[in-house]
Amino acid sequence: MIGKASPPAANPLRRTLRAIRDLASRLPQRHQSLTVIVGMAFVTAILPLVVLAPPLNGFGRQNDWLDGFANAGVFVLLAMGLNVVVGLAGLLDLGYAAFFAIGAYTYAYGASPFSGLDVPFWPMLLVGAAVAMVFGLLLGAPTLRLRGDYLAIVTLGFGEIVPVVFLNADTYTRGTNGISGVYQPVLPIVGNFGFGNPMPYYLTMAAIIAVAMILLYRLQDSRLGRAWMAIREDELAAASMGINTVTTKLLAFAIGASTSGLGGVFYASKLSVVSPDQFGFVISFTVLAMVVLGGMGNIWGVAVGAFVIYELQSQGLKQLNSFFGGLGLPPFHLGPLTVDLTSINFLEYQFLLYGLALVGMMLLRPEGLFPSRRRRAELRDEADAGAANEELVQA
Amino acid sequence: MDFGLLLQQTINALTIGAIYALIALGYTMVYGIIELINFAHGDVFMTGSFVTMWLLTTLGFQGTIKDPLTLAGVLALAFLVAMTVMGAVGVIIERFAYRPLRNAPRLAPLITAIGVSFILQNIVQSIWGPSPVSVPQIIDVQASFRVGGTPIRFLSIFIIVLAIALMVALQLFVGRTRLGRAMRSTAIDREAAQLMGVDINTTIALTFFIGSALAGAAGVVQGLYLGNTVFTAGFQAGLKAFTAAVLGGIGNTTGAALGGFVIGFIEVGSTYLGYTRWSEAVVFTILILVLVFRPTGLLGQQLAERA
Amino acid sequence: MRLLKLGAVATTAALVFTACSSSPTPAPSGGGGGGGGSVQEVKIGVDLPLSGGELPNGGPTLNGVKLAVQQISVPGYHVTVEAEDDAVNGVHDPTQGSKNISTLVNDPAVFAVVGPFNSNVAQAEIPVSNAAGLIQCSPANTNPGLTKGADGAALRKTNPTKIAYVRVATTDDIQGQAGADIAYNVVGAKTAYVVDDTETYGKGLADVFDSSFKALGGTIVAHDGAGKNVTDYTSLLTAAAAKNPQYVYFGGVTSTGGGLLRKQMVAQGMGNIPFGGGDGISDGSAATASSFLNLAGPQGDLNTYSTVAAIHDIPNPDAFKAAYKAAFSTDPGSYSASAYACTQIFLDALKAVGSNREAVRAFVTTTAHKYDTVLGSISFDANGDTSQHIISYYKFDPTTKDWAFFKQKDFGTAG
């Protein structure tokens, strides 16, 4: 109701942004899949060219960028999956990395010298997603009846347990050493995905994201999607409207988990090693920050948010490092622990920035950078809604 | 001999349990009054241990203080400073991060709490660095007396007694004083309390102050006991303390204290049985099982469930 | 100038020792080289943890590389150092390592890479450098699985015959033996208690200590694992104390609990039990903030032993130390000389075969080649492991408040 009528914007920039947002949201739902395909194809085609232009070409070669983009894609996938749980269904999952780990280990079992198996990558994508989904159901079935904040803590506990199990069940997981030498994907015609050549990974990731995005959009607009949002906004009301809240929440959980598993399979195949220490709370937290900052409930917003945040943390902060590093001043001139400007690592402040962004976002713009309209309406409390209405009236 | 070992491990469990219990009280009080899992609470505890470290090193203490009078004075000062500073930090966090979101959907303050947790960690990290740092152990860590040949450390006894004293004081405060009554009534029905003349904002701020001050006390205790702290110490301790609060029945202060000791026994028990590698997994599995099968905890919630 | 003297001394020493070996290295040409003609810009890549709590490990190691590059000039080339940091939020990170090595692979000026420091980072990097044929030399990796057996083979799957990873540090299977040797033969302990930090390096080392100590005839009273989240070792130690161990061995690094463990042993009245660990706790004097000795505290550092998986009696230690101090105003770290040696080997190769990556890789990994390095004469076996199996033994010295070297032992071709 707030979004439909465009209030006169204070400045042209805001007006343009609003116009773009409206345009994007008005794309006919019938053609949504097509829009995603065209959009992803466009982005996929243009990104490798963009990084050739200054100043980006100064920060790294095209291959470095594509390698980073493929890594970022993993987080885009994770964020889109968590968005189903947090953004659409309104359940706080703080152990999301556990499903990522399960997906990654599933692939490592299916295709590594450790198990002796060599199942091709493509079916393993589905297997990884399915296994993660099963674990999502196993965890969700007993716990989703709990109140929302209890669920947060249960998932947090689960996220802590899973790496401990991978670490200590060393007969089955090779413990702390992890499983190394995990096979890389093979395409029927193109052949092996090499380490030095990130392009196949980049394209594969783009395709996976496109497919996941289409499926998620379709889910969101389905009966199930509407049920998720109904639960998010008022669980009691949703239940009294005849929605089976437990099953509906369970499905959100399972779909989120399977998307995470998908990301895990890709991650394992690209890094070629899985070990328990790669899947800690930091991953869960980073993905949550991406979802919140991107705009809970908005699929493409979350995807863009994840991509931007990943690139900022892996490239942006690094550029600050090399900027100050470039100023010269050899370190260690004042004793081994005196840190001079050269050795300040801005990457270290990544989590401080996340923390500030989360708090600031919740206080000032809880709907995220790219809000979903319905979510925005919900997250703004009455006072804000009133103010917005006043704005409308004055117009 | 086996009895001696059992006795020693019991003391160990009670000592570490006392630390968890002190942290758990803050979780349970805050949850009781505004139904928020204050994820930043573990980091308040961690920050408290750093404040202690900073205070003691600034005062020039490096090791054991021999003179009992000086020791008592320095200890009192350490607790006073850490509890006041952390209490104030708690109030500030509530004022700026949680109060504006009091009427927002529940997800919002929960996410803010996680953000605050990371902010605290990173502030501490940028001041004192990411490596573990030594905390001066001003109480002689080795001094002990013997029970049937088994050495029992004074330090452990001091920690257990202190924790229990703080808990009793808290019970008396909540149960017997006017402010305590305000807290209880706010927890039961915020609006009704307001109508009865309770200043809601002050009461909630007070709750944060007390809870955070107790976490600060736990920080001092941790420093004295382990002689060491690190900026990530709050996460695991906080998670375990929260488990303790849930185990005891969230919102229930007696339950939180009991839960803390139970977690201490579970941890030490898994070591005793030779499963140290699994102790984390055991604690969190218990958390999940309790939440699934007995979400009201061992002693049950004292709060009315608000829809 | 000091550099040339050092190089010359090392070369002479090596020539004396290996008089009849077919050293392919031409004697360093006197003078600063690189006089006329076109000078080619080439880079030595470095991947180390360079921030947070691991800076004390990575920083001095990087300095070793820098010192070598400053001191040794190769005619026709201008060599610079391109350093990447694999620590994220203060902790070494395999994903970051993988990305760093890819970045270095994609930089055509990089002809060789020194690093990484940590074994789990190496697991993610070796497949990348192997596929690219870019030679990597680790100054500090000690996990046996990186090169040996089926694990090693799995990591270099792309080009199984073209080894692209060598290391000058001796592997943990030997360092663990050395730890057991200290416990059993130096200290004379017959029973030992082992704690590991559940991480790749720590558990690997502790497991070897465990089996070697038993092989020597000792008894392991218990072997526990406590990850880096564990801060309270009290109950572990109470349980261990009841079993009266004569020695306590810690497999892990300072940041995962080494210092705490030792400190809490004192609190438990176990302070007089000798304590040992690997190079993970050999990280500077008690004056160094957050070092093992610093955290273990005023009483906790007595009777403590550590090993470093590298030669201590380098052919000319004073010259190296002086040169390092002149350049960086501090004493070298445990792996500064190792990093210097890696760089020396690369510069030898550059001198001999030019900057072509494959040529450098093939040259360095030729098992017959011997290199006269600051560590003495080194060659690599078919897996890329160093032929030098020397472990240095250190004991805490209460007067200097620092580790004091007391012995080095050559474990020969064993392992």
Side-chain angles (χ1 to χ4, degrees):
Chain A
M1 128 207 116
I2 298 170
K4 279 243 169 83
S6 293
N11 58 57
L13 179 67
R14 182 178 274 187
R15 196 186 306 154
T16 322
L17 282 176
R18 190 153 294 181
I20 291 172
R21 196 191 296 152
D22 282 356
L23 184 71
S25 61
R26 248 188 262 124
L27 280 169
Q29 299 212 337
R30 184 178 313 179
H31 299 303
Q32 206 152 41
S33 307
L34 193 64
T35 314
V36 170
I37 291 173
V38 171
M40 278 303 294
F42 178 72
V43 171
T44 311
I46 202 149
L47 275 179
L49 302 176
V50 168
V51 299
L52 293 177
L56 297 183
N57 61 353
F59 301 158
R61 285 166 192 75
Q62 191 187 35
N63 272 355
D64 298 345
W65 280 103
L66 292 185
D67 192 67
F69 289 157
N71 291 343
V74 172
F75 279 87
V76 170
L77 211 51
L78 291 179
M80 289 199 311
L82 187 62
N83 179 49
V84 173
V85 184
V86 178
L88 295 183
L91 308 165
L92 189 51
D93 183 347
L94 294 177
Y96 196 59
F99 304 113
F100 183 44
I102 288 167
Y105 268 89
T106 304
Y107 182 67
Y109 284 131
S112 73
F114 172 64
S115 62
L117 296 175
D118 188 4
V119 185
F121 172 75
W122 309 99
M124 279 310 289
L125 271 178
L126 296 179
V127 175
V131 172
M133 181 185 272
V134 168
F135 277 93
L137 291 172
L138 284 179
L139 176 69
T143 55
L144 281 168
R145 257 162 291 172
L146 300 171
R147 291 187 312 204
D149 29 17
Y150 274 19
L151 181 73
I153 215 78
V154 165
T155 50
L156 185 52
F158 183 68
E160 293 297 297
I161 292 173
V162 166
V164 173
V165 171
F166 282 128
L167 178 66
N168 290 323
D170 38 9
T171 325
Y172 310 103
T173 62
R174 301 227 24 203
T176 173
N177 282 311
I179 299 173
S180 55
V182 175
Y183 300 137
Q184 296 182 300
V186 180
L187 263 186
I189 301 159
V190 183
N192 253 320
F193 285 36
F195 279 107
N197 181 16
M199 188 57 106
Y201 283 105
Y202 172 71
L203 295 176
T204 308
M205 193 71 231
I208 295 176
I209 291 175
V211 171
M213 207 178 243
I214 290 171
L215 293 177
L216 290 175
Y217 263 116
R218 293 198 155 239
L219 271 174
Q220 180 185 266
D221 295 333
S222 70
R223 191 184 164 78
L224 181 61
R226 288 192 299 277
W228 284 337
M229 285 176 268
I231 288 178
R232 178 187 76 200
E233 281 166 34
D234 192 332
E235 193 170 340
L236 265 179
S240 57
M241 296 294 286
I243 294 173
N244 181 340
T245 56
V246 172
T247 317
T248 311
K249 287 198 276 185
L250 201 53
L251 280 171
F253 216 63
I255 285 163
S258 63
T259 316
S260 188
L262 209 62
V265 171
F266 182 89
Y267 174 81
S269 79
K270 182 163 184 298
L271 192 63
S272 88
V273 54
V274 292
S275 59
D277 52 0
Q278 296 162 6
F279 307 101
F281 179 65
V282 163
I283 300 279
S284 302
F285 175 74
T286 307
V287 177
L288 179 70
M290 288 168 169
V291 171
V292 171
L293 299 181
M296 286 186 284
N298 181 1
I299 295 174
W300 71 265
V302 162
V304 173
F307 183 80
V308 169
I309 290 175
Y310 187 87
E311 287 304 323
L312 273 182
Q313 83 178 48
S314 73
Q315 290 289 340
L317 298 176
K318 234 181 180 166
Q319 291 316 318
L320 280 180
N321 280 349
S322 54
F323 172 73
F324 284 107
L327 290 181
L329 301 175
F332 289 113
H333 257 280
L334 305 163
L337 271 182
T338 311
V339 180
D340 58 49
L341 202 57
T342 327
S343 58
I344 288 182
N345 188 351
F346 289 90
L347 287 167
E348 270 175 39
Y349 297 98
Q350 164 187 344
F351 291 100
L352 178 64
L353 296 176
Y354 282 173
L356 288 171
L358 280 190
V359 175
M361 214 63 177
M362 278 297 119
L363 295 178
L364 305 173
R365 196 179 162 85
E367 66 273 21
L369 292 175
F370 313 103
S372 98
R373 187 167 301 150
R374 219 171 294 174
R375 195 83 176 115
R376 178 187 167 90
E378 184 203 348
L379 276 167
R380 288 282 178 183
D381 59 24
E382 283 167 24
D384 277 359
N389 283 333
E390 256 167 52
E391 218 175 89
L392 283 178
V393 171
Q394 278 168 6
Chain B
M1 174 226 138
D2 207 20
F3 168 76
L5 185 60
L6 208 60
L7 179 66
Q8 267 185 315
Q9 293 290 30
T10 306
I11 299 287
N12 290 341
L14 287 172
T15 316
I16 194 75
I19 297 177
Y20 290 144
L22 284 176
I23 308 172
L25 285 172
Y27 273 113
T28 220
M29 287 168 67
V30 166
Y31 194 91
I33 202 154
I34 56 170
E35 297 209 338
L36 166 71
I37 298 178
N38 182 8
F39 276 106
H41 191 64
D43 298 294
V44 171
F45 151 75
M46 175 275 297
T47 312
S49 67
F50 273 90
V51 168
T52 313
M53 184 273 298
W54 168 82
L55 179 76
L56 294 177
T57 41
T58 309
L59 291 176
F61 296 107
Q62 284 182 342
T64 311
I65 299 176
K66 295 280 189 296
D67 177 37
L69 263 179
T70 322
L71 179 62
V74 174
L75 270 181
L77 183 70
F79 278 101
L80 186 73
V81 170
M83 291 175 76
T84 316
V85 170
M86 293 332 296
V89 168
V91 171
I92 293 170
I93 292 173
E94 193 274 330
R95 175 65 190 84
F96 291 102
Y98 302 152
R99 190 181 297 177
L101 294 172
R102 212 175 278 162
N103 296 315
R106 277 170 104 169
L107 204 53
L110 218 50
I111 290 170
T112 316
I114 298 173
V116 172
S117 155
F118 271 77
I119 292 173
L120 279 179
Q121 282 189 26
N122 279 275
I123 290 174
V124 169
Q125 187 198 356
S126 51
I127 298 176
W128 287 292
S131 307
V133 295
S134 283
V135 181
Q137 293 179 297
I138 54 174
I139 301 181
D140 185 355
V141 287
Q142 294 185 67
S144 56
F145 58 93
R146 285 182 181 272
V147 175
T150 309
I152 304 291
R153 293 194 284 157
F154 285 114
L155 178 60
S156 292
I157 301 300
F158 168 75
I159 290 170
I160 297 165
V161 170
L162 178 89
I164 292 174
L166 284 172
M167 290 168 206
V168 171
L170 176 72
Q171 288 292 355
L172 290 177
F173 178 80
V174 174
R176 301 278 169 84
T177 65
R178 209 183 146 73
L179 287 170
R181 206 178 313 136
M183 281 167 65
R184 277 181 296 144
S185 57
T186 309
I188 293 166
D189 189 331
R190 200 184 300 163
E191 278 163 21
Q194 197 162 17
L195 290 174
M196 300 307 285
V198 175
D199 183 342
I200 300 295
N201 283 343
T202 313
T203 310
I204 293 177
L206 179 71
T207 309
F208 269 88
F209 184 88
I210 296 175
S212 304
L214 290 173
V220 182
V221 167
Q222 149 113 354
L224 295 177
Y225 185 54
L226 302 179
N228 182 298
T229 187
V230 64
F231 83 105
T232 49
F235 179 68
Q236 285 282 329
L239 204 47
K240 283 176 187 162
F242 182 79
T243 306
V246 170
L247 199 59
I250 192 141
N252 181 332
T253 46
T254 321
L258 178 72
F261 289 115
V262 171
I263 298 286
F265 274 99
I266 291 170
E267 264 196 359
V268 172
S270 49
T271 300
Y272 189 69
L273 299 173
Y275 291 103
T276 314
R277 288 175 202 276
W278 293 95
S279 72
E280 266 175 273
V282 171
V283 170
F284 297 129
T285 307
I286 287 173
L287 169 75
I288 294 179
L289 293 178
V290 169
L291 281 175
V292 171
F293 292 107
R294 198 179 157 80
T296 52
L298 295 177
L299 298 187
Q301 284 167 268
Q302 282 180 339
L303 309 161
E305 173 77 35
R306 246 198 325 266
Chain C
M1 284 306 101
R2 196 176 264 122
L3 53 122
L4 286 177
K5 207 188 321 178
L6 175 65
V9 169
T11 310
T12 325
L15 286 177
V16 170
F17 278 107
T18 60
C20 47
S21 80
S22 58
S23 170
T25 319
S29 52
S38 64
V39 173
Q40 195 188 334
E41 291 284 338
V42 292
K43 291 177 187 168
I44 289 187
V46 173
D47 178 73
L48 293 168
L50 296 172
S51 56
E54 301 190 15
L55 181 62
N57 294 335
T61 312
L62 173 61
N63 285 345
V65 178
K66 286 183 176 165
L67 185 65
V69 169
Q70 273 173 31
Q71 293 189 334
I72 305 165
S73 59
V74 180
Y77 294 96
H78 178 242
V79 185
T80 50
V81 177
E82 169 91 18
E84 301 281 341
D85 176 10
D86 63 37
V88 174
N89 216 26
V91 184
H92 56 272
D93 178 65
T95 316
Q96 188 63 39
S98 166
K99 192 167 158 40
N100 290 348
I101 193 80
S102 302
T103 304
L104 294 170
V105 163
N106 287 330
D107 184 343
V110 172
F111 74 97
V113 175
V114 177
F117 197 91
N118 304 90
S119 293
N120 64 350
V121 178
Q123 278 183 318
E125 291 189 356
I126 293 172
V128 183
S129 59
N130 176 261
L134 175 63
I135 186 76
Q136 234 186 321
C137 174
S138 170
N141 284 160
T142 50
N143 187 288
L146 297 177
T147 50
K148 298 180 188 183
D151 288 345
L155 290 175
R156 46 176 186 262
K157 195 166 34 68
T158 318
N159 293 310
T161 54
K162 293 184 173 176
I163 305 251
Y165 171 87
V166 296
R167 50 177 160 188
V168 297
T170 314
T171 47
D172 289 336
D173 45 352
I174 296 168
Q175 203 187 159
Q177 281 178 40
D181 179 50
I182 292 182
Y184 196 84
N185 296 323
V186 178
V187 176
K190 299 288 174 275
T191 56
Y193 171 58
V194 183
V195 183
D196 69 63
D197 66 359
T198 74
E199 295 195 357
T200 312
Y201 161 79
K203 184 160 189 300
L205 188 60
D207 286 348
V208 179
F209 175 90
D210 194 316
S211 56
S212 308
F213 191 73
K214 282 179 194 154
L216 287 170
T219 312
I220 301 290
V221 298
H223 182 160
D224 286 314
K228 63 178 167 220
N229 290 326
V230 175
T231 48
D232 178 18
Y233 294 90
T234 316
S235 56
L236 272 182
L237 290 170
T238 306
K243 294 171 181 150
N244 291 316
Q246 294 165 354
Y247 195 79
V248 175
Y249 189 80
F250 175 70
V253 298
T254 304
S255 61
T256 57
L260 265 86
L261 178 66
R262 183 62 187 165
K263 189 172 201 171
Q264 290 175 24
M265 275 174 69
V266 179
Q268 291 282 300
M270 297 168 77
N272 54 354
I273 301 178
F275 180 90
D279 48 359
I281 65 166
S282 183
D283 53 4
S285 74
T288 311
S290 297
S291 68
F292 170 81
L293 294 176
N294 178 277
L295 289 175
Q299 298 151 322
D301 38 23
L302 295 171
N303 241 335
T304 299
Y305 298 83
S306 70
T307 51
V308 166
I311 186 167
H312 178 84
D313 277 348
I314 57 178
N316 198 339
D318 295 336
F320 179 74
K321 200 170 171 176
Y324 187 96
K325 199 154 189 168
F328 306 106
S329 310
T330 57
D331 284 335
S334 298
Y335 287 101
S336 300
S338 307
Y340 189 99
C342 279
T343 316
Q344 272 184 309
I345 292 169
F346 289 155
L347 294 175
D348 273 1
L350 182 66
K351 207 174 290 178
V353 296
S355 65
N356 176 283
R357 279 183 185 173
E358 174 53 24
V360 171
R361 189 206 62 76
F363 181 89
V364 170
T365 54
T366 304
T367 50
H369 287 177
K370 281 188 183 295
Y371 304 95
D372 313 315
T373 71
V374 67
L375 300 178
S377 175
I378 285 181
S379 65
F380 297 111
D381 68 16
N383 289 325
D385 284 327
T386 175
S387 59
Q388 199 182 55
H389 290 161
I390 296 175
I391 303 283
S392 307
Y393 293 9
Y394 295 83
K395 185 178 196 294
F396 174 71
D397 181 345
T399 51
T400 60
K401 296 274 175 205
D402 198 356
W403 296 107
F405 168 79
F406 68 94
K407 181 181 173 181
Q408 72 184 28
K409 185 162 173 175
D410 190 345
F411 284 77
T413 50

